[in-house]
Amino acid sequence: MAKRNIVKVGDPVLRKVSRPVEKFDDRLHTLLDDMVETMRAANGCGLAAPQVGILRRIAVVECVEGEVFELINPKIIAFSGTQEEQEGCLSIPGEAGITRRPKYVTVRAQDRNGNTVEYTGSDLLARAFCHELDHLDGKLFTDCAIRMLND
Ligand code: NI
């Protein structure tokens, strides 16, 4: 595994729409392993492929240590409730804001072998799913923050 560089805000790659993954091969597995390592090294709870410069629909989430979600070609298929909580992003260091997100989110995705999986998360995990999926469409939390917090 290898740690990759995290792209920072201002880089146009963060504003592009990522393409679906079609090949579930060793190259994808290496990327997923690297993304988890990179996320952990940065003390983040989620990372999307565009943040390491790769415009593919891939994200990893780990809100609770050891509970890693690998999301390939993910889609939100259900959501309910609302929450307003603090959010940040590894690509926007030093910034935080309050966002309004669903309290419960169900994601349908593929795992690293191409099998269909579904995960439901609440609270922080629901926020992380929304935040990482937004990255795959070139969206950042600062776009939807209802207010930013100053350091
Ligand atoms: Ni982010």
mmCIF file of all heavy atoms in Angstrom, residues 28-62:
data_model
loop_
_atom_site.group_PDB
_atom_site.id
_atom_site.type_symbol
_atom_site.label_atom_id
_atom_site.label_comp_id
_atom_site.label_asym_id
_atom_site.label_seq_id
_atom_site.Cartn_x
_atom_site.Cartn_y
_atom_site.Cartn_z
ATOM 1 N N LEU A 28 -7.770 -1.514 -9.328
ATOM 2 C CA LEU A 28 -8.814 -0.935 -8.468
ATOM 3 C C LEU A 28 -8.531 -1.287 -7.006
ATOM 4 O O LEU A 28 -8.641 -0.435 -6.119
ATOM 5 C CB LEU A 28 -10.190 -1.464 -8.883
ATOM 6 C CG LEU A 28 -11.338 -1.058 -7.952
ATOM 7 C CD1 LEU A 28 -11.604 0.446 -8.001
ATOM 8 C CD2 LEU A 28 -12.614 -1.830 -8.294
ATOM 9 N N HIS A 29 -8.155 -2.529 -6.752
ATOM 10 C CA HIS A 29 -7.912 -2.957 -5.374
ATOM 11 C C HIS A 29 -6.753 -2.177 -4.757
ATOM 12 O O HIS A 29 -6.806 -1.779 -3.592
ATOM 13 C CB HIS A 29 -7.644 -4.466 -5.332
ATOM 14 C CG HIS A 29 -8.819 -5.279 -5.816
ATOM 15 N ND1 HIS A 29 -8.767 -6.637 -5.979
ATOM 16 C CD2 HIS A 29 -10.081 -4.917 -6.186
ATOM 17 C CE1 HIS A 29 -9.943 -7.079 -6.415
ATOM 18 N NE2 HIS A 29 -10.744 -6.051 -6.563
ATOM 19 N N THR A 30 -5.715 -1.960 -5.540
ATOM 20 C CA THR A 30 -4.577 -1.166 -5.048
ATOM 21 C C THR A 30 -5.011 0.257 -4.743
ATOM 22 O O THR A 30 -4.641 0.826 -3.710
ATOM 23 C CB THR A 30 -3.442 -1.150 -6.107
ATOM 24 O OG1 THR A 30 -3.040 -2.500 -6.329
ATOM 25 C CG2 THR A 30 -2.258 -0.328 -5.646
ATOM 26 N N LEU A 31 -5.804 0.828 -5.638
ATOM 27 C CA LEU A 31 -6.294 2.190 -5.414
ATOM 28 C C LEU A 31 -7.109 2.258 -4.117
ATOM 29 O O LEU A 31 -6.922 3.169 -3.297
ATOM 30 C CB LEU A 31 -7.137 2.652 -6.606
ATOM 31 C CG LEU A 31 -7.839 3.997 -6.425
ATOM 32 C CD1 LEU A 31 -6.836 5.135 -6.191
ATOM 33 C CD2 LEU A 31 -8.717 4.307 -7.643
ATOM 34 N N LEU A 32 -8.009 1.301 -3.913
ATOM 35 C CA LEU A 32 -8.828 1.292 -2.693
ATOM 36 C C LEU A 32 -7.948 1.184 -1.446
ATOM 37 O O LEU A 32 -8.154 1.905 -0.467
ATOM 38 C CB LEU A 32 -9.816 0.117 -2.744
ATOM 39 C CG LEU A 32 -11.005 0.311 -3.693
ATOM 40 C CD1 LEU A 32 -11.661 -1.036 -3.998
ATOM 41 C CD2 LEU A 32 -12.023 1.289 -3.133
ATOM 42 N N ASP A 33 -6.971 0.288 -1.482
ATOM 43 C CA ASP A 33 -6.060 0.134 -0.340
ATOM 44 C C ASP A 33 -5.299 1.430 -0.077
ATOM 45 O O ASP A 33 -5.135 1.857 1.067
ATOM 46 C CB ASP A 33 -5.076 -1.015 -0.590
ATOM 47 C CG ASP A 33 -5.768 -2.378 -0.622
ATOM 48 O OD1 ASP A 33 -6.915 -2.485 -0.144
ATOM 49 O OD2 ASP A 33 -5.158 -3.335 -1.137
ATOM 50 N N ASP A 34 -4.845 2.059 -1.151
ATOM 51 C CA ASP A 34 -4.108 3.323 -1.012
ATOM 52 C C ASP A 34 -5.010 4.424 -0.465
ATOM 53 O O ASP A 34 -4.576 5.261 0.344
ATOM 54 C CB ASP A 34 -3.550 3.771 -2.368
ATOM 55 C CG ASP A 34 -2.388 2.908 -2.835
ATOM 56 O OD1 ASP A 34 -1.956 2.019 -2.083
ATOM 57 O OD2 ASP A 34 -1.910 3.139 -3.969
ATOM 58 N N MET A 35 -6.256 4.442 -0.912
ATOM 59 C CA MET A 35 -7.187 5.477 -0.437
ATOM 60 C C MET A 35 -7.455 5.325 1.054
ATOM 61 O O MET A 35 -7.515 6.320 1.782
ATOM 62 C CB MET A 35 -8.496 5.432 -1.235
ATOM 63 C CG MET A 35 -8.338 6.020 -2.637
ATOM 64 S SD MET A 35 -9.829 5.821 -3.657
ATOM 65 C CE MET A 35 -11.025 6.791 -2.740
ATOM 66 N N VAL A 36 -7.614 4.084 1.515
ATOM 67 C CA VAL A 36 -7.837 3.865 2.954
ATOM 68 C C VAL A 36 -6.603 4.314 3.741
ATOM 69 O O VAL A 36 -6.717 5.010 4.759
ATOM 70 C CB VAL A 36 -8.183 2.383 3.239
ATOM 71 C CG1 VAL A 36 -8.170 2.109 4.740
ATOM 72 C CG2 VAL A 36 -9.548 2.035 2.652
ATOM 73 N N GLU A 37 -5.432 3.960 3.255
ATOM 74 C CA GLU A 37 -4.202 4.367 3.942
ATOM 75 C C GLU A 37 -4.075 5.896 3.981
ATOM 76 O O GLU A 37 -3.698 6.475 5.003
ATOM 77 C CB GLU A 37 -2.993 3.744 3.236
ATOM 78 C CG GLU A 37 -1.696 4.023 3.975
ATOM 79 C CD GLU A 37 -0.487 3.329 3.367
ATOM 80 O OE1 GLU A 37 -0.657 2.382 2.581
ATOM 81 O OE2 GLU A 37 0.635 3.754 3.697
ATOM 82 N N THR A 38 -4.393 6.528 2.865
ATOM 83 C CA THR A 38 -4.285 7.989 2.761
ATOM 84 C C THR A 38 -5.282 8.669 3.706
ATOM 85 O O THR A 38 -4.935 9.636 4.399
ATOM 86 C CB THR A 38 -4.549 8.416 1.301
ATOM 87 O OG1 THR A 38 -3.627 7.721 0.451
ATOM 88 C CG2 THR A 38 -4.381 9.912 1.120
ATOM 89 N N MET A 39 -6.513 8.156 3.723
ATOM 90 C CA MET A 39 -7.559 8.704 4.609
ATOM 91 C C MET A 39 -7.131 8.594 6.072
ATOM 92 O O MET A 39 -7.249 9.554 6.834
ATOM 93 C CB MET A 39 -8.860 7.930 4.373
ATOM 94 C CG MET A 39 -9.946 8.152 5.396
ATOM 95 S SD MET A 39 -11.432 7.180 5.032
ATOM 96 C CE MET A 39 -10.859 5.505 5.317
ATOM 97 N N ARG A 40 -6.627 7.418 6.449
ATOM 98 C CA ARG A 40 -6.226 7.209 7.850
ATOM 99 C C ARG A 40 -5.052 8.098 8.225
ATOM 100 O O ARG A 40 -5.023 8.667 9.324
ATOM 101 C CB ARG A 40 -5.856 5.748 8.078
ATOM 102 C CG ARG A 40 -7.093 4.854 8.108
ATOM 103 C CD ARG A 40 -6.714 3.397 8.218
ATOM 104 N NE ARG A 40 -7.876 2.563 8.502
ATOM 105 C CZ ARG A 40 -7.876 1.239 8.401
ATOM 106 N NH1 ARG A 40 -6.781 0.596 8.036
ATOM 107 N NH2 ARG A 40 -8.980 0.556 8.671
ATOM 108 N N ALA A 41 -4.088 8.220 7.327
ATOM 109 C CA ALA A 41 -2.897 9.038 7.614
ATOM 110 C C ALA A 41 -3.278 10.497 7.816
ATOM 111 O O ALA A 41 -2.604 11.233 8.535
ATOM 112 C CB ALA A 41 -1.883 8.899 6.484
ATOM 113 N N ALA A 42 -4.382 10.918 7.168
ATOM 114 C CA ALA A 42 -4.825 12.310 7.279
ATOM 115 C C ALA A 42 -5.892 12.474 8.366
ATOM 116 O O ALA A 42 -6.449 13.565 8.518
ATOM 117 C CB ALA A 42 -5.379 12.769 5.928
ATOM 118 N N ASN A 43 -6.175 11.406 9.108
ATOM 119 C CA ASN A 43 -7.212 11.428 10.147
ATOM 120 C C ASN A 43 -8.576 11.838 9.616
ATOM 121 O O ASN A 43 -9.327 12.550 10.281
ATOM 122 C CB ASN A 43 -6.808 12.360 11.300
ATOM 123 C CG ASN A 43 -5.641 11.804 12.087
ATOM 124 O OD1 ASN A 43 -5.646 10.628 12.440
ATOM 125 N ND2 ASN A 43 -4.634 12.623 12.318
ATOM 126 N N GLY A 44 -8.885 11.387 8.412
ATOM 127 C CA GLY A 44 -10.191 11.681 7.835
ATOM 128 C C GLY A 44 -11.134 10.518 8.029
ATOM 129 O O GLY A 44 -10.715 9.414 8.390
ATOM 130 N N CYS A 45 -12.429 10.763 7.799
ATOM 131 C CA CYS A 45 -13.395 9.654 7.882
ATOM 132 C C CYS A 45 -13.986 9.349 6.519
ATOM 133 O O CYS A 45 -14.933 8.567 6.405
ATOM 134 C CB CYS A 45 -14.453 9.884 8.942
ATOM 135 S SG CYS A 45 -15.645 11.128 8.557
ATOM 136 N N GLY A 46 -13.416 9.930 5.476
ATOM 137 C CA GLY A 46 -13.862 9.596 4.123
ATOM 138 C C GLY A 46 -12.914 10.185 3.108
ATOM 139 O O GLY A 46 -12.198 11.157 3.396
ATOM 140 N N LEU A 47 -12.867 9.546 1.940
ATOM 141 C CA LEU A 47 -12.020 10.051 0.862
ATOM 142 C C LEU A 47 -12.600 9.562 -0.457
ATOM 143 O O LEU A 47 -13.011 8.400 -0.576
ATOM 144 C CB LEU A 47 -10.581 9.528 1.026
ATOM 145 C CG LEU A 47 -9.515 10.147 0.130
ATOM 146 C CD1 LEU A 47 -9.214 11.596 0.529
ATOM 147 C CD2 LEU A 47 -8.219 9.323 0.171
ATOM 148 N N ALA A 48 -12.644 10.450 -1.429
ATOM 149 C CA ALA A 48 -13.165 10.110 -2.749
ATOM 150 C C ALA A 48 -12.023 10.138 -3.760
ATOM 151 O O ALA A 48 -11.055 10.892 -3.599
ATOM 152 C CB ALA A 48 -14.257 11.098 -3.151
ATOM 153 N N ALA A 49 -12.146 9.315 -4.808
ATOM 154 C CA ALA A 49 -11.045 9.168 -5.764
ATOM 155 C C ALA A 49 -10.576 10.501 -6.381
ATOM 156 O O ALA A 49 -9.369 10.687 -6.575
ATOM 157 C CB ALA A 49 -11.424 8.154 -6.844
ATOM 158 N N PRO A 50 -11.489 11.436 -6.690
ATOM 159 C CA PRO A 50 -11.001 12.704 -7.251
ATOM 160 C C PRO A 50 -10.021 13.417 -6.319
ATOM 161 O O PRO A 50 -9.161 14.182 -6.780
ATOM 162 C CB PRO A 50 -12.276 13.539 -7.429
ATOM 163 C CG PRO A 50 -13.384 12.557 -7.463
ATOM 164 C CD PRO A 50 -12.958 11.372 -6.648
ATOM 165 N N GLN A 51 -10.134 13.146 -5.012
ATOM 166 C CA GLN A 51 -9.224 13.783 -4.054
ATOM 167 C C GLN A 51 -7.803 13.240 -4.144
ATOM 168 O O GLN A 51 -6.888 13.830 -3.572
ATOM 169 C CB GLN A 51 -9.739 13.590 -2.623
ATOM 170 C CG GLN A 51 -11.038 14.344 -2.353
ATOM 171 C CD GLN A 51 -11.475 14.159 -0.924
ATOM 172 O OE1 GLN A 51 -12.113 13.177 -0.594
ATOM 173 N NE2 GLN A 51 -11.120 15.085 -0.052
ATOM 174 N N VAL A 52 -7.635 12.108 -4.831
ATOM 175 C CA VAL A 52 -6.278 11.640 -5.124
ATOM 176 C C VAL A 52 -6.030 11.737 -6.630
ATOM 177 O O VAL A 52 -5.148 11.068 -7.182
ATOM 178 C CB VAL A 52 -5.984 10.221 -4.573
ATOM 179 C CG1 VAL A 52 -5.952 10.250 -3.043
ATOM 180 C CG2 VAL A 52 -6.984 9.190 -5.066
ATOM 181 N N GLY A 53 -6.831 12.575 -7.294
ATOM 182 C CA GLY A 53 -6.575 12.910 -8.691
ATOM 183 C C GLY A 53 -7.125 11.916 -9.696
ATOM 184 O O GLY A 53 -6.757 11.967 -10.870
ATOM 185 N N ILE A 54 -8.020 11.029 -9.248
ATOM 186 C CA ILE A 54 -8.549 9.996 -10.142
ATOM 187 C C ILE A 54 -10.054 10.190 -10.315
ATOM 188 O O ILE A 54 -10.818 10.122 -9.350
ATOM 189 C CB ILE A 54 -8.212 8.597 -9.596
ATOM 190 C CG1 ILE A 54 -6.699 8.432 -9.686
ATOM 191 C CG2 ILE A 54 -8.951 7.495 -10.359
ATOM 192 C CD1 ILE A 54 -6.146 7.207 -9.067
ATOM 193 N N LEU A 55 -10.468 10.446 -11.558
ATOM 194 C CA LEU A 55 -11.871 10.789 -11.815
ATOM 195 C C LEU A 55 -12.698 9.545 -12.089
ATOM 196 O O LEU A 55 -13.237 9.340 -13.179
ATOM 197 C CB LEU A 55 -11.955 11.793 -12.965
ATOM 198 C CG LEU A 55 -11.500 13.198 -12.560
ATOM 199 C CD1 LEU A 55 -11.311 14.094 -13.773
ATOM 200 C CD2 LEU A 55 -12.467 13.831 -11.573
ATOM 201 N N ARG A 56 -12.791 8.709 -11.063
ATOM 202 C CA ARG A 56 -13.617 7.511 -11.100
ATOM 203 C C ARG A 56 -14.547 7.512 -9.893
ATOM 204 O O ARG A 56 -14.203 8.084 -8.846
ATOM 205 C CB ARG A 56 -12.740 6.258 -11.069
ATOM 206 C CG ARG A 56 -11.959 6.051 -12.349
ATOM 207 C CD ARG A 56 -12.865 5.544 -13.467
ATOM 208 N NE ARG A 56 -12.093 5.341 -14.700
ATOM 209 C CZ ARG A 56 -12.637 4.866 -15.826
ATOM 210 N NH1 ARG A 56 -13.921 4.567 -15.873
ATOM 211 N NH2 ARG A 56 -11.905 4.712 -16.896
ATOM 212 N N ARG A 57 -15.702 6.842 -10.045
ATOM 213 C CA ARG A 57 -16.727 6.889 -8.998
ATOM 214 C C ARG A 57 -16.407 5.874 -7.894
ATOM 215 O O ARG A 57 -16.948 4.771 -7.837
ATOM 216 C CB ARG A 57 -18.124 6.674 -9.607
ATOM 217 C CG ARG A 57 -18.419 7.703 -10.686
ATOM 218 C CD ARG A 57 -19.844 7.708 -11.157
ATOM 219 N NE ARG A 57 -20.716 8.395 -10.225
ATOM 220 C CZ ARG A 57 -20.865 9.719 -10.138
ATOM 221 N NH1 ARG A 57 -20.184 10.538 -10.938
ATOM 222 N NH2 ARG A 57 -21.677 10.230 -9.251
ATOM 223 N N ILE A 58 -15.486 6.286 -7.029
ATOM 224 C CA ILE A 58 -14.967 5.444 -5.948
ATOM 225 C C ILE A 58 -14.832 6.311 -4.696
ATOM 226 O O ILE A 58 -14.309 7.423 -4.781
ATOM 227 C CB ILE A 58 -13.556 4.912 -6.300
ATOM 228 C CG1 ILE A 58 -13.564 4.134 -7.606
ATOM 229 C CG2 ILE A 58 -12.988 4.083 -5.151
ATOM 230 C CD1 ILE A 58 -12.167 3.900 -8.180
ATOM 231 N N ALA A 59 -15.301 5.779 -3.567
ATOM 232 C CA ALA A 59 -15.083 6.474 -2.299
ATOM 233 C C ALA A 59 -14.864 5.443 -1.195
ATOM 234 O O ALA A 59 -15.333 4.303 -1.292
ATOM 235 C CB ALA A 59 -16.277 7.359 -1.946
ATOM 236 N N VAL A 60 -14.141 5.861 -0.168
ATOM 237 C CA VAL A 60 -13.997 5.042 1.030
ATOM 238 C C VAL A 60 -14.450 5.875 2.226
ATOM 239 O O VAL A 60 -14.283 7.095 2.247
ATOM 240 C CB VAL A 60 -12.541 4.541 1.233
ATOM 241 C CG1 VAL A 60 -12.141 3.600 0.108
ATOM 242 C CG2 VAL A 60 -11.552 5.688 1.343
ATOM 243 N N VAL A 61 -15.065 5.204 3.198
ATOM 244 C CA VAL A 61 -15.575 5.870 4.397
ATOM 245 C C VAL A 61 -15.202 5.005 5.596
ATOM 246 O O VAL A 61 -15.334 3.777 5.548
ATOM 247 C CB VAL A 61 -17.113 6.038 4.310
ATOM 248 C CG1 VAL A 61 -17.690 6.490 5.649
ATOM 249 C CG2 VAL A 61 -17.491 7.029 3.206
ATOM 250 N N GLU A 62 -14.733 5.638 6.654
ATOM 251 C CA GLU A 62 -14.446 4.931 7.907
ATOM 252 C C GLU A 62 -14.698 5.893 9.060
ATOM 253 O O GLU A 62 -13.813 6.642 9.468
ATOM 254 C CB GLU A 62 -12.990 4.435 7.948
ATOM 255 C CG GLU A 62 -12.687 3.581 9.169
ATOM 256 C CD GLU A 62 -11.219 3.176 9.253
ATOM 257 O OE1 GLU A 62 -10.347 3.981 8.896
ATOM 258 O OE2 GLU A 62 -10.946 2.033 9.690
#
